[in-house]
Amino acid sequence: MPLRLDSRQADFDTAFAALLASKRETSVEVGDTVAAIIADVRARGDEAVAELTNKFDKAGVTPETLAFSETEIDAAVARVSPEVMAALETAHQRIKAHHEKQKPQDHIYQDALGVTLGTRWTAIEAVGIYVPGGLASYPSSVLMNAVPAKVAGVDRIAMVVPTPNGQYAAAILAAARIAGVTEIYRIGGAQAVAALAYGTQSIPRVDKVIGPGNAYVAAAKRQVFGQVGIDMIAGPSEVLVIADGSANPAWVAADLIAQAEHGMGAQSILVTTEKGLADAVVAEVDRQLALLPKQEIAREGWEEFGAVITVASLDEAVPLANRIASEHIELALDDPQQLLPRIRNAGAIFLGHHTPEAIGDYVGGSNHVLPTARSARFASGLGVLDFVKRTSILGCDPTSLAALSQAAITLAEVEALDGHGRSISIRLNR
Ligand SMILES: NC(=O)c1ccc[n+]([C@@H]2O[C@H](COP(=O)([O-])OP(=O)(O)OC[C@H]3O[C@@H](n4cnc5c(N)ncnc54)[C@H](O)[C@@H]3O)[C@@H](O)[C@H]2O)c1
Ligand SMILES: N[C@H](CO)Cc1c[nH]c[nH+]1
Ligand SMILES: [Zn+2]
C-alpha cells in the first residue's frame, strides 16, 4: 500500500515534508570506490578500463577491443527487425525536429554609444554520452543523448555503453547508427566516465560527459566535474499525476506503474481532488500490477515510494506539485491549460488524458533525460543548450571608448587595480 495523505489531516505538513525528504537513492557509499576507479584509469589507461570492465561487467574485453568495430556495428544493425528500425526512425525524426527548434540564435548590435555587443553560440567540440546498460537496455536513451548533440553541431560524439557478460541489444547500436554516432565503446560505470574525462591510449578525452546512469555513474560525473563539464545528475525516475474527477482510474494507474517499473527508487505520486478516484486508482494499480510479467520491481517501487494525496481543490494541488518538483507531471484533467501556467517546477509536463508519459519517453519528440530528486526547481531536461556555450563579443571605437572610459577608470581605482585603469587611459587623447 502506498502512503495515503489528505491535505485536511492535522499532521499533513509534517507528513508531506517527510515525503519530500525521503531518500530514494541507493544507500551504498560509492564515493571512495569511484575515486579509486578514476585514479586507476588516470594511472593505467586502457589496461585499467579493460580490467575494471571485466571485473564489474564480465564483458571479456581487452585494451584492443574496447571500441565496437564498424563490422560489429553493421552486423548488429542487420539483426534489428524492420519494425524496430522503423520505430527508431520515427523517434529519431521527431526528436530531431523538436530539438532543431531549440537552437539558439547569435545576435550582435550597436548600442547608443556605438559599442558593439553580441552573443555567439558555439558547439562543444567533443562530448561523451553515457548510455546506461547495467540492468536494462535503453535504445531510446541513445537517441535522447545523441540527437541534441548532433543538432547543436558537436564535432565528436563518443558513446559508452556497458555490455554485461558481453551481451548488448542490437537496437542500441542501430539507434547510434541512425543518430550518426560512430565512436562507441563497450564500457560503463565510473571507469567509462573516467576514460571519457581524462582520456586513455585509445579513447581521446572529451570536453563534457552527458547522460543518465546508476549511483556509480552519478558519483563519477560529480568527481570529474571541472576536468570536464557535465549535464546534470539524473537519478531515479519520478511521475506526479494531478487528476480530477474527469480522469480514468485505469489510465492513471497504468501511468503510475509505468514509472514505478524503472525501479532503483523510482517514485509515482497521485494528487487528486476526488477521494473516490484515489481509491479506484489504488485498487486498479493492484489489479494491473498482477498482469505484469516482471511485477516485483514496480510493486516494490509503488509500495515503498509511491503516494496518493487527496486535496480539497486543484488550487491546493499546484503548490504541492511545485514543492515536489517532479521529473514528470501529468495533468490528467479535461482542461489541463487551466493549471499549466501555474506549474513552475517540473522536468516535463504532459497535457490531458491522452498524453501518457511513456509517449515522451520514446516518440513524442521532447527529451526524456530530465532533472530528478526535486532538482527541477533549478535544472532543465537535456537539450541543445547542453551542447553549446555562449561567448560574448564586445567592440569599442575611439568615440565609444572615450565615452565609457571615466566610469571604468573610476571602478579600477575603487578596486585598486592601477594596471586596469592604465590599459584604458593609455588609449585616450592620441
Ligand atoms: N533519466 C533517464 O533518462 C534515464 C534513462 C535510462 C535509465 N535511467 C536510469 O539509469 C540507471 C541505470 O543503471 P544500471 O545499473 O542499469 O546501468 P549503468 O550503466 O548506469 O551502470 C552499470 C555500471 O555500474 C558499474 N557498477 C555496478 N556495480 C558496481 C560496483 N559494485 N562497483 C563499481 N561499479 C559498479 C559497472 O561498471 C557497470 O558497468 C537506472 O537508475 C535507470 O533508471 C535513467
Ligand atoms: N522514463 C525514463 C526517465 O525519464 C526514461 C525511459 C527510457 N526508456 C523508458 N523510459
Ligand atoms: Zn520511462
PDB file of all heavy atoms in Angstrom, residues 35-55:
ATOM      1  N   ALA A  35      36.324   7.061  -6.572  1.00  0.00           N
ATOM      2  CA  ALA A  35      37.591   7.818  -6.584  1.00  0.00           C
ATOM      3  C   ALA A  35      38.758   6.889  -6.935  1.00  0.00           C
ATOM      4  O   ALA A  35      39.652   7.257  -7.711  1.00  0.00           O
ATOM      5  CB  ALA A  35      37.822   8.483  -5.233  1.00  0.00           C
ATOM      6  N   ALA A  36      38.730   5.665  -6.379  1.00  0.00           N
ATOM      7  CA  ALA A  36      39.814   4.709  -6.655  1.00  0.00           C
ATOM      8  C   ALA A  36      39.789   4.285  -8.128  1.00  0.00           C
ATOM      9  O   ALA A  36      40.839   4.158  -8.775  1.00  0.00           O
ATOM     10  CB  ALA A  36      39.679   3.495  -5.739  1.00  0.00           C
ATOM     11  N   ILE A  37      38.588   4.104  -8.670  1.00  0.00           N
ATOM     12  CA  ILE A  37      38.467   3.702 -10.087  1.00  0.00           C
ATOM     13  C   ILE A  37      39.013   4.817 -10.988  1.00  0.00           C
ATOM     14  O   ILE A  37      39.781   4.567 -11.927  1.00  0.00           O
ATOM     15  CB  ILE A  37      36.987   3.381 -10.433  1.00  0.00           C
ATOM     16  CG1 ILE A  37      36.550   2.089  -9.731  1.00  0.00           C
ATOM     17  CG2 ILE A  37      36.792   3.274 -11.942  1.00  0.00           C
ATOM     18  CD1 ILE A  37      35.056   1.771  -9.856  1.00  0.00           C
ATOM     19  N   ILE A  38      38.650   6.057 -10.676  1.00  0.00           N
ATOM     20  CA  ILE A  38      39.107   7.178 -11.512  1.00  0.00           C
ATOM     21  C   ILE A  38      40.645   7.279 -11.461  1.00  0.00           C
ATOM     22  O   ILE A  38      41.309   7.440 -12.488  1.00  0.00           O
ATOM     23  CB  ILE A  38      38.440   8.504 -11.063  1.00  0.00           C
ATOM     24  CG1 ILE A  38      36.938   8.447 -11.353  1.00  0.00           C
ATOM     25  CG2 ILE A  38      39.080   9.701 -11.775  1.00  0.00           C
ATOM     26  CD1 ILE A  38      36.138   9.627 -10.803  1.00  0.00           C
ATOM     27  N   ALA A  39      41.205   7.138 -10.256  1.00  0.00           N
ATOM     28  CA  ALA A  39      42.664   7.230 -10.118  1.00  0.00           C
ATOM     29  C   ALA A  39      43.342   6.113 -10.922  1.00  0.00           C
ATOM     30  O   ALA A  39      44.368   6.337 -11.585  1.00  0.00           O
ATOM     31  CB  ALA A  39      43.046   7.142  -8.643  1.00  0.00           C
ATOM     32  N   ASP A  40      42.769   4.941 -10.879  1.00  0.00           N
ATOM     33  CA  ASP A  40      43.345   3.803 -11.600  1.00  0.00           C
ATOM     34  C   ASP A  40      43.319   4.051 -13.115  1.00  0.00           C
ATOM     35  O   ASP A  40      44.297   3.806 -13.823  1.00  0.00           O
ATOM     36  CB  ASP A  40      42.540   2.544 -11.228  1.00  0.00           C
ATOM     37  CG  ASP A  40      43.269   1.261 -11.606  1.00  0.00           C
ATOM     38  OD1 ASP A  40      44.481   1.336 -11.914  1.00  0.00           O
ATOM     39  OD2 ASP A  40      42.624   0.190 -11.601  1.00  0.00           O
ATOM     40  N   VAL A  41      42.193   4.555 -13.610  1.00  0.00           N
ATOM     41  CA  VAL A  41      42.090   4.823 -15.061  1.00  0.00           C
ATOM     42  C   VAL A  41      43.076   5.920 -15.465  1.00  0.00           C
ATOM     43  O   VAL A  41      43.727   5.845 -16.515  1.00  0.00           O
ATOM     44  CB  VAL A  41      40.636   5.207 -15.438  1.00  0.00           C
ATOM     45  CG1 VAL A  41      40.554   5.696 -16.875  1.00  0.00           C
ATOM     46  CG2 VAL A  41      39.702   4.025 -15.215  1.00  0.00           C
ATOM     47  N   ARG A  42      43.224   6.924 -14.616  1.00  0.00           N
ATOM     48  CA  ARG A  42      44.187   8.001 -14.942  1.00  0.00           C
ATOM     49  C   ARG A  42      45.607   7.443 -14.976  1.00  0.00           C
ATOM     50  O   ARG A  42      46.432   7.853 -15.804  1.00  0.00           O
ATOM     51  CB  ARG A  42      44.110   9.118 -13.905  1.00  0.00           C
ATOM     52  CG  ARG A  42      42.834   9.917 -14.011  1.00  0.00           C
ATOM     53  CD  ARG A  42      42.822  11.082 -13.058  1.00  0.00           C
ATOM     54  NE  ARG A  42      43.756  12.124 -13.451  1.00  0.00           N
ATOM     55  CZ  ARG A  42      43.937  13.272 -12.814  1.00  0.00           C
ATOM     56  NH1 ARG A  42      43.238  13.513 -11.729  1.00  0.00           N
ATOM     57  NH2 ARG A  42      44.787  14.165 -13.250  1.00  0.00           N
ATOM     58  N   ALA A  43      45.913   6.508 -14.079  1.00  0.00           N
ATOM     59  CA  ALA A  43      47.285   5.991 -13.998  1.00  0.00           C
ATOM     60  C   ALA A  43      47.577   4.970 -15.089  1.00  0.00           C
ATOM     61  O   ALA A  43      48.669   4.964 -15.667  1.00  0.00           O
ATOM     62  CB  ALA A  43      47.507   5.363 -12.621  1.00  0.00           C
ATOM     63  N   ARG A  44      46.628   4.091 -15.379  1.00  0.00           N
ATOM     64  CA  ARG A  44      46.945   2.956 -16.257  1.00  0.00           C
ATOM     65  C   ARG A  44      46.153   2.934 -17.552  1.00  0.00           C
ATOM     66  O   ARG A  44      46.341   2.052 -18.382  1.00  0.00           O
ATOM     67  CB  ARG A  44      46.725   1.641 -15.501  1.00  0.00           C
ATOM     68  CG  ARG A  44      47.632   1.466 -14.282  1.00  0.00           C
ATOM     69  CD  ARG A  44      47.606   0.024 -13.790  1.00  0.00           C
ATOM     70  NE  ARG A  44      46.278  -0.388 -13.353  1.00  0.00           N
ATOM     71  CZ  ARG A  44      45.634  -1.474 -13.787  1.00  0.00           C
ATOM     72  NH1 ARG A  44      46.200  -2.264 -14.673  1.00  0.00           N
ATOM     73  NH2 ARG A  44      44.424  -1.767 -13.332  1.00  0.00           N
ATOM     74  N   GLY A  45      45.257   3.876 -17.748  1.00  0.00           N
ATOM     75  CA  GLY A  45      44.552   3.996 -19.031  1.00  0.00           C
ATOM     76  C   GLY A  45      43.799   2.745 -19.440  1.00  0.00           C
ATOM     77  O   GLY A  45      43.087   2.133 -18.629  1.00  0.00           O
ATOM     78  N   ASP A  46      43.967   2.349 -20.701  1.00  0.00           N
ATOM     79  CA  ASP A  46      43.191   1.236 -21.275  1.00  0.00           C
ATOM     80  C   ASP A  46      43.274  -0.055 -20.453  1.00  0.00           C
ATOM     81  O   ASP A  46      42.282  -0.792 -20.346  1.00  0.00           O
ATOM     82  CB  ASP A  46      43.693   0.924 -22.689  1.00  0.00           C
ATOM     83  CG  ASP A  46      43.236   1.976 -23.708  1.00  0.00           C
ATOM     84  OD1 ASP A  46      42.281   2.717 -23.415  1.00  0.00           O
ATOM     85  OD2 ASP A  46      43.863   2.052 -24.786  1.00  0.00           O
ATOM     86  N   GLU A  47      44.462  -0.331 -19.909  1.00  0.00           N
ATOM     87  CA  GLU A  47      44.628  -1.565 -19.117  1.00  0.00           C
ATOM     88  C   GLU A  47      43.634  -1.574 -17.962  1.00  0.00           C
ATOM     89  O   GLU A  47      42.960  -2.565 -17.706  1.00  0.00           O
ATOM     90  CB  GLU A  47      46.046  -1.641 -18.522  1.00  0.00           C
ATOM     91  CG  GLU A  47      47.136  -2.051 -19.502  1.00  0.00           C
ATOM     92  CD  GLU A  47      47.047  -3.529 -19.877  1.00  0.00           C
ATOM     93  OE1 GLU A  47      46.383  -4.279 -19.148  1.00  0.00           O
ATOM     94  OE2 GLU A  47      47.624  -3.897 -20.915  1.00  0.00           O
ATOM     95  N   ALA A  48      43.549  -0.435 -17.257  1.00  0.00           N
ATOM     96  CA  ALA A  48      42.634  -0.335 -16.109  1.00  0.00           C
ATOM     97  C   ALA A  48      41.182  -0.408 -16.571  1.00  0.00           C
ATOM     98  O   ALA A  48      40.353  -1.097 -15.950  1.00  0.00           O
ATOM     99  CB  ALA A  48      42.889   0.971 -15.357  1.00  0.00           C
ATOM    100  N   VAL A  49      40.866   0.279 -17.669  1.00  0.00           N
ATOM    101  CA  VAL A  49      39.473   0.279 -18.155  1.00  0.00           C
ATOM    102  C   VAL A  49      39.046  -1.149 -18.489  1.00  0.00           C
ATOM    103  O   VAL A  49      37.946  -1.596 -18.099  1.00  0.00           O
ATOM    104  CB  VAL A  49      39.318   1.205 -19.393  1.00  0.00           C
ATOM    105  CG1 VAL A  49      37.913   1.083 -19.979  1.00  0.00           C
ATOM    106  CG2 VAL A  49      39.606   2.653 -19.022  1.00  0.00           C
ATOM    107  N   ALA A  50      39.922  -1.883 -19.177  1.00  0.00           N
ATOM    108  CA  ALA A  50      39.572  -3.260 -19.561  1.00  0.00           C
ATOM    109  C   ALA A  50      39.427  -4.143 -18.322  1.00  0.00           C
ATOM    110  O   ALA A  50      38.446  -4.905 -18.195  1.00  0.00           O
ATOM    111  CB  ALA A  50      40.646  -3.817 -20.503  1.00  0.00           C
ATOM    112  N   GLU A  51      40.356  -3.992 -17.387  1.00  0.00           N
ATOM    113  CA  GLU A  51      40.327  -4.825 -16.177  1.00  0.00           C
ATOM    114  C   GLU A  51      39.044  -4.565 -15.364  1.00  0.00           C
ATOM    115  O   GLU A  51      38.357  -5.495 -14.945  1.00  0.00           O
ATOM    116  CB  GLU A  51      41.534  -4.437 -15.322  1.00  0.00           C
ATOM    117  CG  GLU A  51      42.306  -5.609 -14.765  1.00  0.00           C
ATOM    118  CD  GLU A  51      43.553  -5.077 -14.080  1.00  0.00           C
ATOM    119  OE1 GLU A  51      43.476  -4.736 -12.876  1.00  0.00           O
ATOM    120  OE2 GLU A  51      44.579  -4.978 -14.769  1.00  0.00           O
ATOM    121  N   LEU A  52      38.720  -3.288 -15.176  1.00  0.00           N
ATOM    122  CA  LEU A  52      37.532  -2.939 -14.379  1.00  0.00           C
ATOM    123  C   LEU A  52      36.249  -3.364 -15.098  1.00  0.00           C
ATOM    124  O   LEU A  52      35.273  -3.789 -14.467  1.00  0.00           O
ATOM    125  CB  LEU A  52      37.517  -1.426 -14.112  1.00  0.00           C
ATOM    126  CG  LEU A  52      38.615  -0.937 -13.158  1.00  0.00           C
ATOM    127  CD1 LEU A  52      38.884   0.566 -13.332  1.00  0.00           C
ATOM    128  CD2 LEU A  52      38.233  -1.238 -11.710  1.00  0.00           C
ATOM    129  N   THR A  53      36.257  -3.239 -16.418  1.00  0.00           N
ATOM    130  CA  THR A  53      35.086  -3.647 -17.207  1.00  0.00           C
ATOM    131  C   THR A  53      34.867  -5.155 -17.071  1.00  0.00           C
ATOM    132  O   THR A  53      33.728  -5.623 -16.958  1.00  0.00           O
ATOM    133  CB  THR A  53      35.280  -3.237 -18.680  1.00  0.00           C
ATOM    134  OG1 THR A  53      35.426  -1.810 -18.713  1.00  0.00           O
ATOM    135  CG2 THR A  53      34.108  -3.645 -19.547  1.00  0.00           C
ATOM    136  N   ASN A  54      35.948  -5.907 -17.058  1.00  0.00           N
ATOM    137  CA  ASN A  54      35.803  -7.353 -16.886  1.00  0.00           C
ATOM    138  C   ASN A  54      35.401  -7.700 -15.458  1.00  0.00           C
ATOM    139  O   ASN A  54      34.606  -8.613 -15.227  1.00  0.00           O
ATOM    140  CB  ASN A  54      37.104  -8.064 -17.278  1.00  0.00           C
ATOM    141  CG  ASN A  54      37.335  -7.936 -18.778  1.00  0.00           C
ATOM    142  OD1 ASN A  54      36.380  -7.783 -19.538  1.00  0.00           O
ATOM    143  ND2 ASN A  54      38.589  -7.974 -19.211  1.00  0.00           N
ATOM    144  N   LYS A  55      35.898  -6.910 -14.501  1.00  0.00           N
ATOM    145  CA  LYS A  55      35.542  -7.176 -13.100  1.00  0.00           C
ATOM    146  C   LYS A  55      34.046  -6.930 -12.855  1.00  0.00           C
ATOM    147  O   LYS A  55      33.354  -7.765 -12.293  1.00  0.00           O
ATOM    148  CB  LYS A  55      36.384  -6.265 -12.202  1.00  0.00           C
ATOM    149  CG  LYS A  55      36.062  -6.375 -10.726  1.00  0.00           C
ATOM    150  CD  LYS A  55      36.994  -5.491  -9.912  1.00  0.00           C
ATOM    151  CE  LYS A  55      36.563  -5.441  -8.452  1.00  0.00           C
ATOM    152  NZ  LYS A  55      37.317  -4.462  -7.681  1.00  0.00           N
TER     153      LYS A  55
END
